[in-house]
C-alpha cells in the first residue's frame, strides 16, 4: 500500500510539473512574440553641443567598469521580457543571500576613450554587447542645465543615468548628447551605457569593411554645464566668392535671448535676437579678408556669446567651386596633392586616435610628404584631426561609411545615413579645411543604390554649406570594358606598343555629385584575373599592365572635375627584392613611379589621393608573414617607418608644389593679427 501511494504521488508530482512547464513554455512564447513585435521604446539622442572642449564641463574619461554580455542578459530575461533588475540599475547584492548575478564593482575595467579590442584578450575579436559603468560626483546648480555628451561610441548606445533611461543612439563615429538636468543628483551619480558593436546589413557601415571594427566608447565623454539658454550650434562661412560677406547663424537652445558674435581682427561685433525657432542669422560685411588656403591657412578668433556663456573658436573663410572640369579655390585653380588616412594611431597596437598629439603625429607625416590634401577614410574622423588640418593648411575630404554591402532598399538605413551625416556636418561645419563631403565609396551601381545616394547627396548639399559633393567610384567592370582591357594587355604581352588607353567614368551617380572620383589599382589587383582569363603568365601580364599605366587617360561623361581617390600597392616595410617582386618596398616604389607617369599624362586631373598613408589593421588581410592582419598599402608602416614609395611620391609632390606656388599671385595681407 505504501509503494502504491508513493507511486501515485510521483505520478501526481510529475503531471503537475509537466503542466507547469507547459504553462511556462506558453508564457515564454507569448512574451517572446510580444518582445519582438513591440520593442521597448527608447528616446533618441539630441544633436551634439558644438565645440564641447570650450564649454564648462566635467570629463568622464578614464577607467570605467565593464561587463561583457554576449547573450543580452543585462536587460532581458530568458523569457524575452525586460529585466526589472538589469545592469542599468547598477545594483549591489543585499548581503550574501541576495541572488544578484552581476556587480560592476567586481567587473573588469576599460579605458575611455578607447576601443575595447586592445584592452582585454577576450575582447580581441568581440563585436557584441558590453555594458560600461562610470560613477562621478556632481554639484548641480539651480540656474544651469546639464548634458551628457559622447563624441563617439561604436555602434549603438543605450544610456542610463541613476537607473533611468536617458536615450539611445546609432552610428559609430558621430557625437550625440542627452539632457540630464532633471536626472542628475548632488553627490554620486551612476552612468551606465550599453554598447552593441554588432555589424549588420541594415547599418552604416554594413557587414563588411576593410578596416578593424574598433568598438566601444572610442572618443571623449563629458558632463557639459550650460546656462538656461545657450548656443547649441553656430555656423560661420563665406557668403560670396569675393570675400566681402560672412554668413553667420547661431542656434539658441532655450528661451530666446540676445546673441553676440565678435571677430576682433575684422572689427566685427554684432548682436541679434533669435526668432521663434531659436535661430539668429545675419550677414556680416567685411572690407578685407585673408582667405584660408593651403599655403596660407588663416584662422580668425571668433567668439559667440549667449547669456553668460562665451564660446570661442578659430575659423577660416574660403570659397570652393567646380568650374567645368576644374576645382577653383578662392577663384584660383588648385591641384590636390593628396593621401588617404585612417583614424588610427601610429603604433604597433593601432587603435583610434584619442589625443591631440596622436592626431598631430599623423598629420606631420602628410605634411612631410608634401601633401596639401587628405582624404579621411572611410568615416568621420576625430575632431582633433580636422582642427589640426585647419591649422596646417590641409584640404579635407570627409565621408560617411556608405561602403560595401549597404541595404539600399531599406528606408531605415537611408534615415540612419542622413542622421549620421547631419551629426557630422553639425560638428564640422566651421572647419575651413573641409572642401568635400563624400556620400559613398566603392558601391556597385543599381537603381536602388542610385535612389539611395541621390537622396543622401541632396540632403548633404542642403545642409553642408560651401562644399562639393563627391563619391569614390569603381572602374567600369562591365563585360565590354573587361574584354577591352584584356585585349589591350594581351597585345602588350605579345609585343605591342602601349598606346593611350581611355578610361571613362559614366556611373549615373555622376549626375548628382560635383566631383567624379575613381579608385583604381592598375598594377596591383587586375593582373591575376587577366592572367586566369587568358592563360598568360601572371608575371608577363603584370609587366604589360605596368607599361600601360603611364598611358591611362581618365575622363568622365559629365565634364566635371576628376580625382583619383585611390591607387596603391602593398609592401611590408623592410622587405626588399627585385622591382617585379610583389610585397617588397622595391615593387611598391616601382608602382608609384608608374603612377606618377600616369599623373603627368593626365593634365585634366584635379587631384590624387593614393591609398594609404599608414599600414592599418584589417581582418580582411590575413596573409602570414606579410600582412598578419594589416593592410600593407601604407607609405609608412604601422609604427611610422617610411617605405621607399614615400620618397617617390614626396619627390613628385614637392616638385609639383614648388612649380605651382610660383604661379600663384601674392597673398594679400588684410589684417595685422588673427
Amino acid at each position: 500500500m505504501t509503494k502504491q501511494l508513493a507511486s501515485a504521488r510521483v505520478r501526481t508530482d510529475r503531471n503537475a510539473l509537466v503542466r507547469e512547464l507547459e504553462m511556462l513554455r506558453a508564457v515564454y512564447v507569448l512574451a517572446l512574440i510580444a518582445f519582438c513585435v513591440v520593442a521597448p521604446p527608447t528616446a533618441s539622442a539630441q544633436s551634439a553641443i558644438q565645440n564641447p572642449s570650450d564649454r564648462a564641463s566635467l570629463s568622464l574619461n578614464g577607467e570605467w567598469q565593464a561587463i561583457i554580455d554576449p547573450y543580452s542578459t543585462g536587460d532581458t530575461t530568458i523569457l524575452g521580457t525586460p529585466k526589472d533588475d538589469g545592469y542599468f540599475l547598477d545594483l549591489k547584492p543585499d548581503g550574501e543571500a541576495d541572488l544578484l548575478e552581476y556587480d560592476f564593482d567586481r567587473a573588469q575595467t576599460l579605458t575611455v576613450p578607447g576601443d575595447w579590442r586592445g584592452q582585454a584578450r577576450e575582447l580581441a575579436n568581440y563585436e557584441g554587447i558590453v555594458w560600461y559603468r562610470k560613477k562621478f560626483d556632481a554639484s548641480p546648480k539651480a540656474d544651469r542645465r546639464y548634458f551628457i555628451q559622447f563624441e563617439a561610441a561604436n555602434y549603438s548606445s543605450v544610456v542610463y543615468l541613476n537607473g533611468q533611461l536617458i536615450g539611445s543612439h546609432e552610428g559609430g563615429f558621430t557625437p550625440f548628447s542627452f539632457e540630464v538636468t532633471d536626472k542628475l543628483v548632488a553627490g554620486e551619480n551612476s552612468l551606465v551605457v550599453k554598447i552593441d558593436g554588432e555589424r549588420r546589413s541594415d547599418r552604416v557601415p554594413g557587414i563588411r569593411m576593410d578596416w578593424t571594427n574598433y568598438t566601444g566608447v572610442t572618443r571623449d565623454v563629458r558632463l557639459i554645464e550650460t546656462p538656461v539658454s545657450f548656443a547649441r550650434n553656430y555656423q560661420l562661412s563665406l557668403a560670396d566668392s569675393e570675400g566681402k560677406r560672412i554668413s553667420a547663424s547661431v542656434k539658441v537652445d532655450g528661451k530666446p535671448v540676445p546673441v553676440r558674435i565678435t571677430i576682433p581682427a575684422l572689427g566685427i561685433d554684432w548682436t541679434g535676437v533669435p526668432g521663434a525657432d531659436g535661430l539668429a542669422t545675419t550677414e556680416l560685411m567685411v572690407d578685407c579678408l585673408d582667405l584660408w588656403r593651403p599655403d596660407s591657412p588663416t584662422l580668425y578668433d571668433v567668439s559667440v556669446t549667449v547669456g553668460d556663456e562665451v564660446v570661442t573658436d578659430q575659423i577660416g573663410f574660403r570659397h570652393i567651386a567646380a568650374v567645368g572640369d576644374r576645382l577653383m579655390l578662392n577663384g584660383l585653380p588648385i591641384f590636390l596633392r593628396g593621401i588617404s588616412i585612417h583614424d588610427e594611431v601610429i603604433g604597433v597596437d593601432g587603435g583610434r586616435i584619442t589625443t591631440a598629439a596622436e592626431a598631430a603625429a599623423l598629420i606631420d607625416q602628410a605634411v612631410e610628404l608634401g601633401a596639401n590634401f587628405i582624404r579621411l577614410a572611410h568615416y568621420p574622423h576625430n575632431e582633433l584631426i580636422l582642427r589640426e588640418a585647419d591649422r596646417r593648411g590641409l584640404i579635407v575630404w570627409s565621408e560617411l561609411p556608405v561602403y560595401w554591402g549597404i541595404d539600399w532598399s531599406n528606408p531605415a538605413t537611408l534615415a540612419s545615413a542622413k542622421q549620421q551625416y547631419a551629426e557630422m556636418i553639425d560638428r564640422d561645419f566651421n572647419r575651413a579645411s573641409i572642401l568635400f563631403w563624400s556620400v559613398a565609396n566603392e558601391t556597385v551601381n543599381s537603381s536602388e543604390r542610385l535612389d539611395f545616394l541621390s537622396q543622401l547627396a541632396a540632403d548633404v548639399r542642403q545642409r553642408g554649406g560651401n562644399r562639393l559633393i563627391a563619391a569614390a567610384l569603381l572602374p567600369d567592370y562591365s563585360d565590354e570594358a573587361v574584354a577591352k582591357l584584356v585585349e589591350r594587355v594581351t597585345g602588350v604581352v605579345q609585343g605591342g606598343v602601349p598606346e593611350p588607353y581611355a578610361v571613362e567614368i559614366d556611373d549615373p551617380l555622376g549626375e548628382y555629385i560635383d566631383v567624379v572620383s575613381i579608385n583604381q589599382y592598375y598594377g596591383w589587383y587586375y593582373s591575376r584575373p587577366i592572367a586566369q582569363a587568358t592563360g598568360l603568365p601572371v608575371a608577363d601580364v603584370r609587366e604589360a599592365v605596368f607599361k600601360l599605366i603611364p598611358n591611362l587617360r581618365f575622363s568622365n561623361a559629365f565634364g566635371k572635375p576628376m580625382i583619383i581617390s585611390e591607387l596603391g600597392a602593398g609592401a611590408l616595410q623592410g622587405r626588399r627584392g627585385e622591382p617585379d617582386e610583389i610585397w617588397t618596398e622595391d615593387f611598391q616604389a616601382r608602382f608609384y613611379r608608374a603612377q606618377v607617369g600616369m599623373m603627368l599624362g593626365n593634365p585634366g586631373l584635379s587631384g590624387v589621393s593614393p591609398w594609404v598613408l599608414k599600414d592599418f589593421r584589417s581582418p580582411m588581410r590575413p596573409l602570414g608573414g606579410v600582412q598578419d592582419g594589416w593592410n600593407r598599402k601604407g607609405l609608412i608602416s604601422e609604427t611610422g617607418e617610411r617605405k621607399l614609395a614615400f620618397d617617390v611620391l614626396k619627390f613628385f609632390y614637392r616638385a609639383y608644389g614648388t612649380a605651382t606656388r610660383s604661379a600663384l599671385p601674392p597673398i594679400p595681407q588684410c589684417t595685422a593679427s588673427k
Side-chain angles (χ1 to χ4, degrees):
M1 184 67 176
T2 303
K3 291 182 179 180
Q4 291 175 334
L5 285 174
S7 177
R9 185 178 298 111
V10 168
R11 287 195 300 273
T12 301
D13 291 345
R14 183 183 297 115
N15 290 338
L17 179 60
V18 168
R19 285 195 299 273
E20 184 175 351
L21 288 173
E22 287 176 343
M23 289 179 63
L24 283 172
R25 186 181 297 111
V27 170
Y28 171 77
V29 171
L30 289 173
L32 184 59
I33 292 173
F35 183 74
C36 293
V37 174
V38 184
T42 58
S44 295
Q46 298 172 291
S47 62
I49 296 172
Q50 198 181 49
N51 194 7
S53 62
D54 202 60
R55 314 275 183 154
S57 65
L58 171 69
S59 173
L60 300 181
N61 293 346
E63 297 302 304
W64 292 48
Q65 274 63 46
I67 298 175
I68 305 169
D69 186 14
Y71 294 160
S72 192
T73 56
D75 54 4
T76 309
T77 71
I78 61 170
L79 301 181
T81 57
K83 184 176 284 187
D84 60 7
D85 62 351
Y87 299 173
F88 52 89
L89 292 175
D90 190 13
L91 298 175
K92 292 285 294 178
D94 186 16
E96 293 296 329
D98 187 8
L99 183 57
L100 184 67
E101 295 186 274
Y102 77 93
D103 184 354
F104 275 111
D105 288 343
R106 300 184 188 182
Q108 67 189 92
T109 60
L110 293 175
T111 301
V112 171
D115 66 284
W116 65 51
R117 177 202 58 82
Q119 299 191 53
R121 185 188 299 267
E122 64 271 26
L123 293 172
N125 296 300
Y126 181 69
E127 295 178 309
I129 294 169
V130 172
W131 293 80
Y132 286 72
R133 195 281 310 272
K134 179 74 170 181
K135 287 190 172 181
F136 63 94
D137 290 331
S139 302
K141 304 167 188 172
D143 61 344
R144 298 278 130 170
R145 294 169 66 186
Y146 296 90
F147 299 82
I148 297 287
Q149 179 148 315
F150 294 78
E151 297 309 311
N154 190 21
Y155 178 82
S156 71
S157 309
V158 184
V159 185
Y160 302 84
L161 183 64
N162 299 323
Q164 300 181 67
L165 173 70
I166 60 173
S168 63
H169 179 263
E170 291 229 347
F173 305 96
T174 49
F176 54 97
S177 70
F178 307 96
E179 182 162 11
V180 295
T181 304
D182 60 344
K183 296 180 176 64
L184 193 68
V185 300
E188 187 176 75
N189 290 263
S190 169
L191 177 63
V192 175
V193 189
K194 176 188 177 183
I195 303 292
D196 182 357
E198 180 187 10
R199 289 171 292 113
R200 295 195 329 225
S201 61
D202 61 339
R203 289 181 165 176
V204 181
I207 291 177
R208 295 179 68 237
M209 69 278 282
D210 187 10
W211 68 83
T212 291
N213 184 30
Y214 289 117
T215 40
V217 184
T218 55
R219 294 181 189 156
D220 294 335
V221 185
R222 296 177 175 90
L223 174 68
I224 299 176
E225 178 185 281
T226 73
V228 174
S229 293
F230 68 98
R232 178 176 283 275
N233 181 284
Y234 53 91
Q235 298 182 347
L236 288 88
S237 62
L238 200 61
D240 61 4
S241 58
E242 289 77 32
K244 299 297 184 183
R245 294 181 294 123
I246 294 173
S247 174
S249 68
V250 179
K251 178 66 175 179
V252 175
D253 187 318
K255 295 180 179 179
V257 296
V259 170
R260 184 185 181 195
I261 299 173
T262 64
I263 310 178
L266 296 177
I268 291 174
D269 190 338
W270 175 84
T271 300
V273 178
D277 59 357
L279 198 62
T281 61
T282 187
E283 281 198 351
L284 306 168
M285 305 303 296
V286 292
D287 294 327
C288 191
L289 190 64
D290 289 337
L291 299 181
W292 186 97
R293 69 188 207 185
D295 55 343
S296 179
T298 303
L299 300 176
Y300 289 90
D301 291 330
V302 176
S303 67
V304 177
T305 304
V306 174
D308 61 3
E309 182 184 58
V310 181
V311 181
T312 62
D313 209 336
Q314 289 191 311
I315 299 176
F317 302 97
R318 46 91 199 125
H319 185 268
I320 183 66
V323 180
D325 64 354
R326 289 297 177 207
L327 293 175
M328 306 292 284
L329 178 61
N330 304 329
L332 297 172
I334 187 167
F335 181 81
L336 304 175
R337 309 185 308 273
I339 192 68
S340 297
I341 294 176
H342 264 293
D343 182 340
E344 189 176 84
V345 175
I346 296 176
V348 68
D349 294 324
R352 290 280 176 247
I353 284 174
T354 60
T355 69
E358 291 169 346
L362 205 60
I363 295 300
D364 285 345
Q365 296 284 356
V367 171
E368 177 62 24
L369 183 65
N372 66 0
F373 168 53
I374 52 176
R375 179 185 177 209
L376 302 185
H378 286 292
Y379 40 78
H381 283 217
N382 194 307
E383 186 178 0
L384 293 168
I385 296 176
L386 277 302
R387 290 185 175 273
E388 190 70 13
D390 265 11
R391 288 189 289 268
R392 306 286 288 276
L394 287 172
I395 292 167
V396 169
W397 161 313
S398 191
E399 63 188 67
L400 202 68
V402 179
Y403 200 73
W404 307 332
I406 293 293
D407 189 354
W408 303 120
S409 60
N410 189 335
T413 305
L414 175 58
S416 177
K418 288 182 176 181
Q419 165 223 311
Q420 291 181 53
Y421 230 122
E423 291 167 346
M424 177 167 69
I425 292 171
D426 281 350
R427 186 193 73 174
D428 297 334
F429 187 94
N430 295 314
R431 303 284 68 81
S433 53
I434 300 177
L435 301 192
F436 307 96
W437 301 124
S438 176
V439 295
N441 178 77
E442 293 185 354
T443 54
V444 178
N445 185 34
S446 69
S447 58
E448 294 83 5
R449 172 258 200 179
L450 184 62
D451 182 58
F452 183 110
L453 292 180
S454 61
Q455 291 187 60
L456 181 60
D459 193 67
V460 172
R461 189 183 302 280
Q462 187 272 328
R463 295 175 181 274
N466 176 228
R467 269 93 184 194
L468 301 178
I469 307 301
L473 307 175
L474 290 167
D476 184 357
Y477 288 138
S478 67
D479 291 344
E480 180 181 358
V482 171
K484 176 185 172 185
L485 178 61
V486 169
E487 179 183 7
R488 180 60 62 88
V489 171
T490 301
V492 175
V493 171
Q494 295 172 347
V497 177
E499 296 179 355
Y501 181 78
V503 180
E504 183 182 67
I505 306 303
D506 61 358
D507 187 318
L509 183 60
E511 292 282 0
Y512 299 91
I513 58 181
D514 303 309
V515 178
V516 177
S517 300
I518 179 176
N519 294 355
Q520 61 93 350
Y521 286 89
Y522 292 93
W524 184 246
Y525 283 132
Y526 310 146
S527 301
R528 188 166 181 267
I530 293 175
Q532 290 174 332
T534 60
L536 295 169
V538 68
D540 292 349
V541 170
R542 186 172 288 116
E543 284 300 308
V545 173
F546 264 94
K547 293 177 182 178
L548 188 62
I549 289 172
N551 295 280
L552 295 171
R553 299 294 180 263
F554 291 99
S555 64
N556 66 84
F558 311 99
K560 296 180 178 181
M562 190 158 183
I563 296 172
I564 304 296
S565 40
E566 289 184 26
L567 60 88
L572 179 64
Q573 190 275 328
R575 183 168 180 163
R576 302 298 301 273
E578 296 300 319
D580 61 351
E581 185 180 347
I582 63 171
W583 300 116
T584 65
E585 288 192 46
D586 305 82
F587 179 91
Q588 188 188 44
R590 182 190 180 200
F591 171 92
Y592 269 87
R593 283 191 288 270
Q595 291 284 354
V596 166
M598 177 277 298
M599 299 176 206
L600 294 172
N602 282 266
L605 285 178
S606 291
V608 293
S609 174
W611 190 259
V612 58
L613 179 64
K614 182 189 82 71
D615 290 349
F616 61 93
R617 284 193 177 274
S618 173
M620 285 186 61
R621 311 295 174 171
L623 182 60
V626 177
Q627 293 172 313
D628 297 313
W630 295 85
N631 187 312
R632 294 296 184 190
K633 296 186 186 71
L635 297 179
I636 63 175
S637 71
E638 65 271 26
T639 54
E641 288 84 7
R642 292 172 185 167
K643 306 176 189 178
L644 295 177
F646 185 98
D647 288 325
V648 173
L649 190 59
K650 175 182 174 179
F651 181 84
F652 170 66
Y653 279 177
R654 294 285 175 137
Y656 193 100
T658 300
T660 53
R661 272 196 300 272
S662 65
L664 291 174
I667 301 170
Q669 295 295 324
C670 299
T671 52
S673 61
K674 311 299 187 289

